[in-house]
Amino acid sequence: MSVDRATVFRIARLARIAITDAEAERLESELSGILDWVAQLDELDTANVEPMTRVEAMTMKMRKDEVTDGFCAADIVKNAPQEDDHYFVVPKIVE
């Protein structure tokens, strides 16, 4: 697959990256090479390959799903400039 100069500039604009014509020429060949490599991957038969999230098979560590306050609410609120009944007091900004 080939990427043209206009596509390189469009990608750069979408990424909010300013590039020169020389950089666009280099990126044109690099992006085309990347897309050619991805096209090669499409040729592989992956019908018998199970989906995986990581290279090494492992199980997730489970814990009880308990709702807690973290047991440190007092430590958190003690640094607040103002607090009221374990809540932060902030200036009113909306009328």
Side-chain angles (χ1 to χ4, degrees):
M1 180 175 218
S2 177
V3 176
D4 62 350
R5 183 78 44 98
T7 304
V8 171
F9 279 112
R10 183 162 190 263
I11 292 169
R13 185 180 57 82
L14 290 172
R16 305 292 192 259
I17 299 171
I19 60 173
T20 64
D21 287 333
E23 291 171 323
E25 183 179 343
R26 182 179 54 82
L27 288 171
E28 186 177 340
S29 63
E30 284 184 23
L31 290 173
S32 294
I34 291 169
L35 292 176
D36 289 339
W37 183 76
V38 171
Q40 287 179 0
L41 292 177
D42 284 338
E43 297 172 5
L44 295 174
D45 180 24
T46 58
N48 296 325
V49 177
E50 285 193 39
M52 52 195 254
T53 57
R54 56 180 53 91
V55 176
E56 185 176 324
M58 60 187 331
T59 58
M60 297 292 291
K61 296 179 178 132
M62 301 297 281
R63 63 173 172 79
K64 290 183 179 178
D65 190 14
E66 297 174 339
V67 177
T68 67
D69 65 355
F71 307 113
C72 60
D75 293 335
I76 294 170
V77 177
K78 78 178 179 184
N79 293 322
Q82 274 188 294
E83 62 98 9
D84 181 26
D85 193 29
H86 281 81
Y87 290 96
F88 290 94
V89 177
V90 296
K92 185 177 180 179
I93 59 170
V94 178
E95 294 295 326

